[in-house]
Amino acid sequence: VTRVAVIGAGSWGTAVAALAASHAEHEVVLWAREPTLAAAIDRSHENATYLPGIFLPASLRSTSELLEAARDAEVFVMGVPSHGFRPVLVALAPAIPVDAAIVSLCKGVEQETLQTMTQVVADVLPDHARGSIGVLTGPNLAREVAEGQPTAAVVAFTDEVVATRLQQIFMTATFRVYTNPDVVGCEIAGAAKNVIAIAAGIAAGLGYGDNTKATLITRGLAELARLGVALDGEPLTFSGLAGMGDLVATCTSEKSRNRTVGFQLGLGRTLDEIITEMKMVAEGVKSTSAIVAIANAAGVEMPIASAVAAVLDGSGRVDELVPALMLRRATAEHRPSV
Amino acid sequence: VTRVAVIGAGSWGTAVAALAASHAEHEVVLWAREPTLAAAIDRSHENATYLPGIFLPASLRSTSELLEAARDAEVFVMGVPSHGFRPVLVALAPAIPVDAAIVSLCKGVEQETLQTMTQVVADVLPDHARGSIGVLTGPNLAREVAEGQPTAAVVAFTDEVVATRLQQIFMTATFRVYTNPDVVGCEIAGAAKNVIAIAAGIAAGLGYGDNTKATLITRGLAELARLGVALDGEPLTFSGLAGMGDLVATCTSEKSRNRTVGFQLGLGRTLDEIITEMKMVAEGVKSTSAIVAIANAAGVEMPIASAVAAVLDGSGRVDELVPALMLRRATAEHRPSV
């Protein structure tokens, strides 16, 4: 029996907990911050707040006590948004064995430190083996995974043994998990794609069509890959599920929260209005300025991300974004200098 | 004054003719096979059959006489589907000067010969300079271009001087044209993406969601790039507008004909029923078996294209396609052998 602690009962944490709990040989405990939510999940086998209508495995337990969730766990799945990631991990740290695997589900960057989530883990747990710290990522809209839609995903760990073990833990008949040793590439792709999705949403909200959408996604992948490679990611990651796959899903799905934020901005609403109404966090809203700061530090140009950052901080207008990105001077598509 | 002959008055040929005719220094003649259509375009400045509701430039003339369209033309734009491409070109050949530029708009492969359209041109006109034979391609849904939606496109010619000249001919304030010397890569991408779009349409018609769609597009680009590189295309082409851009547009737009054919197949209709109802050609229907044959000859595996070919020739069932492609044995994402 392998005990798995899933920390965070949002839609994706809950869906991943259900995947792991679908195997009889796993004992899975889902930590929810709200005691009432934990009790409801435990009692009704449904997360009516974040994943309504999905029946969860009867064996999946839920608690709001961090250390109870952590007890005897060998695998820790961190389903906490970037702004709450570090404090939760600090509280959890004493209960994490040195040989545990730590899997981040969070596709964001810590605003204050500009660290990715695995860097935050390494910062909080400096003695933890780096090969046991990684991510689960890919084109994985939570609700579709929970409904059993055929989905492909990536577990990225530098230690291949750990990766293969986690592959087995999450894999089901409809959720196919591939391994990839490129942790940093997968994390940068996951965080930066949310920024591009905001841009794609803005374009859709303004009434731009499929040609514009496809061009933004294409150029978005190019800038996301430039950043990832500058930070020592592998080029292949960006053309795979964690890169292009997740980008396409997020930029074209009406279920994507980040695209939805952009879409509402494109319709002319303010960021404050939009965020107030959303039950869940859109990571891109918080990560955009951090991604741009990382890119600037690395000397990488990210025109789409910079334009989104300007819209979010109020210095740019949504109706300027698409013309500025689409109608630049025509040239050769692949210049030697780029 | 540059005279431009656009051969073929389907939606894309008409839209491209309108782009070129928007410049005062071009005289553009659009050839329509049907005399009544040519006369109607000439009279009403609208192609009510293929691009209804779009006002065409008053200077754009139309004729059903091939040699009248060709008279004094320096640029020939071939907007004819793959199955009619060769006979029209043979009829046109005596009127094409040796130094004319020939631009294919067709994203297909000739079924009998397995030749791309520029190869057909070179076959029909063996003495024509190869550097003056190329394509206009990219994520370019005709109706959106005609409506002035911001769009990016690629002209691919091996001769950079010719490419730059055509860039100026097609470019407008909302249609941005980039040059790319990789003719074969652009052509293979353009033809193969229609096959992947049929697969994406099938998945949507069967009710599969955005995770599946994004995974099919990601794997589709990988197999399309494998084929293109095996045929001496440039890897960068496939991550650019002619590759990923066009693939994403075609696989995610409800305006795409090839996706529509797949969608209807996914709903359970027969290919005969679907084709009978369509006014315009879906190139992927004809090109799929040719693409698979080209891949087999090159020793390149294309599982998605092969699955689509099986559905189209009746040897495979639509409800088997997605599970067969999505639920294969999990492994490392990027194997050294691939």
Side-chain angles (χ1 to χ4, degrees):
Chain A
V1 172
T2 301
R3 287 198 44 126
V4 179
V6 179
I7 308 301
S11 59
W12 187 217
T14 303
V16 171
L19 290 173
S22 69
H23 297 283
E25 68 273 25
H26 303 153
E27 284 185 12
V28 184
V29 183
L30 177 61
W31 175 78
R33 192 183 291 271
E34 296 294 329
T36 51
L37 179 58
I41 292 171
D42 231 21
R43 190 179 57 241
S44 65
H45 309 297
E46 181 191 7
N47 184 337
T49 307
Y50 296 115
L51 214 51
I54 300 291
F55 181 79
L56 304 171
S59 64
L60 175 63
R61 289 174 39 235
S62 185
T63 176
S64 61
E65 297 293 333
L66 257 188
L67 298 186
E68 188 184 325
R71 189 152 44 85
D72 299 331
E74 299 158 54
V75 175
F76 290 79
V77 180
M78 295 294 295
V80 178
S82 60
H83 63 273
F85 199 99
R86 184 184 293 266
V88 170
L89 189 66
V90 166
L92 196 62
I96 300 180
V98 286
D99 58 349
I102 304 177
V103 187
S104 166
L105 303 183
C106 172
K107 295 173 179 173
V109 173
E110 192 172 56
Q111 276 190 289
E112 300 77 12
T113 63
L114 306 186
Q115 290 177 338
T116 67
M117 295 304 110
T118 65
Q119 291 169 336
V120 171
V121 175
D123 203 15
V124 173
L125 301 168
D127 299 330
H128 208 87
R130 286 301 290 261
S132 300
I133 305 171
V135 301
L136 173 66
T137 187
N140 302 333
L141 293 156
R143 186 154 195 100
E144 292 190 359
V145 171
E147 289 170 347
Q149 287 269 2
T151 297
V154 171
V155 282
F157 283 79
T158 55
D159 185 329
E160 197 183 332
V161 174
V162 177
T164 304
R165 180 159 175 240
L166 290 167
Q167 182 180 40
Q168 297 307 320
I169 284 176
F170 297 121
M171 183 127 73
T172 70
T174 56
F175 190 75
R176 308 312 287 175
V177 182
Y178 297 80
T179 58
N180 183 335
D182 180 18
V183 178
V184 65
C186 285
E187 275 194 298
I188 290 296
K193 62 100 193 183
N194 285 329
V195 182
I196 310 300
I198 295 175
I202 289 173
L206 287 164
Y208 291 106
D210 296 318
N211 293 348
T212 298
K213 172 185 72 182
T215 300
L216 282 180
I217 294 175
T218 303
R219 299 221 182 124
L221 182 60
E223 69 180 61
L224 182 159
R226 275 200 301 274
L227 178 63
V229 170
L231 301 174
D232 291 330
E234 286 296 325
L236 274 177
T237 294
F238 303 97
S239 59
L241 294 165
M244 175 177 169
D246 199 4
L247 179 70
V248 168
T250 307
C251 289
T252 67
S253 176
E254 295 182 1
K255 299 173 193 134
S256 154
R257 287 175 237 164
N258 292 286
R259 181 186 179 283
T260 297
V261 169
F263 187 79
Q264 297 284 336
L265 286 168
L267 292 180
R269 303 186 61 209
T270 70
L271 187 58
D272 283 346
E273 288 170 354
I274 299 163
I275 290 174
T276 304
E277 277 176 21
M278 287 184 85
K279 188 156 62 175
M280 294 190 263
V281 175
E283 277 289 351
V285 174
K286 291 177 181 294
S287 295
T288 298
S289 63
I291 290 285
V292 171
I294 292 171
N296 287 341
V300 173
E301 275 189 50
M302 297 189 76
I304 301 176
S306 301
V308 172
V311 166
L312 293 178
D313 74 16
S315 64
R317 281 168 37 191
V318 287
D319 57 350
E320 291 166 341
L321 182 139
V322 175
L325 293 170
M326 291 290 293
L327 305 178
R328 302 199 296 176
R329 196 170 59 82
T331 175
E333 189 178 12
H334 304 290
R335 279 164 296 169
S337 62
V338 173
Chain B
V1 172
T2 300
R3 288 198 42 128
V4 179
V6 179
I7 307 301
S11 59
W12 188 217
T14 304
V16 171
L19 290 173
S22 69
H23 298 283
E25 68 273 26
H26 302 152
E27 284 185 14
V28 184
V29 183
L30 176 63
W31 175 78
R33 192 184 292 270
E34 297 294 330
T36 51
L37 178 58
I41 292 171
D42 232 21
R43 190 179 58 243
S44 66
H45 309 297
E46 182 192 7
N47 182 337
T49 307
Y50 296 116
L51 213 51
I54 301 292
F55 182 79
L56 304 171
S59 64
L60 174 64
R61 291 174 39 235
S62 185
T63 175
S64 60
E65 297 293 332
L66 258 188
L67 298 187
E68 188 184 326
R71 189 154 42 87
D72 299 330
E74 298 157 54
V75 175
F76 290 79
V77 180
M78 296 293 295
V80 178
S82 59
H83 64 273
F85 199 97
R86 184 184 293 266
V88 170
L89 188 66
V90 167
L92 195 62
I96 301 180
V98 286
D99 57 350
I102 305 177
V103 187
S104 166
L105 303 182
C106 171
K107 296 174 179 174
V109 173
E110 192 173 55
Q111 276 190 289
E112 300 76 12
T113 62
L114 306 185
Q115 289 176 339
T116 66
M117 295 305 109
T118 65
Q119 290 169 338
V120 172
V121 175
D123 202 15
V124 173
L125 301 168
D127 299 329
H128 208 87
R130 286 301 290 260
S132 299
I133 305 171
V135 302
L136 173 67
T137 186
N140 302 335
L141 293 156
R143 186 157 195 96
E144 292 189 359
V145 171
E147 289 170 347
Q149 288 269 2
T151 296
V154 171
V155 282
F157 283 78
T158 55
D159 184 329
E160 197 183 332
V161 174
V162 178
T164 304
R165 181 160 174 239
L166 290 167
Q167 180 180 42
Q168 297 307 321
I169 284 177
F170 297 121
M171 183 128 72
T172 71
T174 56
F175 189 75
R176 307 312 285 176
V177 181
Y178 297 80
T179 59
N180 183 335
D182 181 17
V183 178
V184 65
C186 285
E187 275 194 297
I188 290 294
K193 61 102 192 182
N194 284 329
V195 183
I196 309 301
I198 295 175
I202 289 173
L206 288 163
Y208 291 105
D210 296 318
N211 292 348
T212 299
K213 172 185 72 183
T215 300
L216 281 179
I217 294 173
T218 303
R219 299 219 182 125
L221 182 60
E223 69 180 61
L224 182 159
R226 274 200 302 275
L227 178 63
V229 170
L231 300 175
D232 292 329
E234 285 297 324
L236 273 177
T237 294
F238 303 96
S239 59
L241 294 165
M244 176 175 168
D246 198 5
L247 180 70
V248 168
T250 308
C251 289
T252 67
S253 174
E254 295 181 2
K255 298 174 193 133
S256 153
R257 288 174 237 165
N258 291 286
R259 182 184 179 281
T260 298
V261 168
F263 187 79
Q264 297 285 336
L265 286 168
L267 292 180
R269 304 186 61 209
T270 69
L271 187 58
D272 283 346
E273 288 171 355
I274 298 163
I275 290 175
T276 304
E277 277 177 22
M278 287 183 85
K279 187 157 60 176
M280 293 189 262
V281 175
E283 277 289 351
V285 173
K286 293 178 180 293
S287 295
T288 298
S289 63
I291 290 287
V292 171
I294 292 171
N296 287 341
V300 173
E301 277 189 49
M302 297 189 77
I304 301 177
S306 301
V308 172
V311 166
L312 294 178
D313 73 17
S315 65
R317 282 168 35 192
V318 285
D319 57 349
E320 291 166 340
L321 182 140
V322 176
L325 293 171
M326 291 291 293
L327 305 177
R328 302 198 296 177
R329 196 169 61 81
T331 175
E333 189 179 12
H334 304 291
R335 280 164 295 168
S337 61
V338 173

